[in-house]
Amino acid sequence: GVLSDSYKEVISRFNWLQLVSIWAVIGQALLSTMSFIGIMAGVLFAGLAFGAFFTVIVPVVNEMYGQKDFGLILGSQLACQAIASLSICKLLIPTVYNSAASGSDVCLGATCFRT
């Protein structure tokens, strides 16, 4: 938001989205280490990426598509994010967990997901 406005002559807002995506990937990679420091740093990076995305996406949508249908386009984009998040939480993660549990009811610890 504020940084993308301050440095828009140096770094385009679309490149800010790419930078935020890199932060999110780093955060997820750190979370997957399953160490205390990795989890704390991963939460920090993922949280910063999440917050930065929602502040940068508004001017990006405005610059790319204009103000005529701004509300419709931004609403559609946010609805797609909600659907993707719900799909990941309700479909993908339980599927990965059930396959890692190998038929048992409970799968505990990092070794469960490292095969």
Side-chain angles (χ1 to χ4, degrees):
V2 173
L3 290 176
S4 72
D5 287 340
S6 301
Y7 296 106
K8 65 182 174 186
E9 290 82 24
V10 179
I11 301 173
S12 72
R13 287 198 171 112
F14 185 75
N15 288 340
W16 277 105
L17 279 179
Q18 292 175 335
L19 186 64
V20 167
S21 298
I22 291 168
W23 289 345
V25 168
I26 291 170
Q28 295 299 318
L30 287 170
L31 284 170
S32 69
T33 63
M34 298 298 288
S35 68
F36 180 75
I37 299 297
I39 290 173
M40 291 297 132
V43 167
L44 175 70
F45 273 91
L48 287 173
F50 184 80
F53 178 81
F54 282 104
T55 59
V56 172
I57 195 65
V58 175
V60 168
V61 168
N62 187 31
E63 286 180 4
M64 289 181 69
Y65 301 106
Q67 294 180 351
K68 182 180 177 191
D69 293 324
F70 176 75
L72 177 68
I73 294 169
L74 185 64
S76 300
Q77 189 267 335
L78 293 174
C80 288
Q81 285 182 337
I83 292 168
S85 177
L86 188 63
S87 298
I88 289 170
C89 291
K90 296 292 184 179
L91 299 174
L92 180 65
I93 293 174
T95 303
V96 170
Y97 180 84
N98 288 335
S99 68
S102 300
S104 66
D105 292 337
V106 177
C107 182
L108 299 174
T111 57
C112 179
F113 297 101
R114 293 182 182 148
T115 56

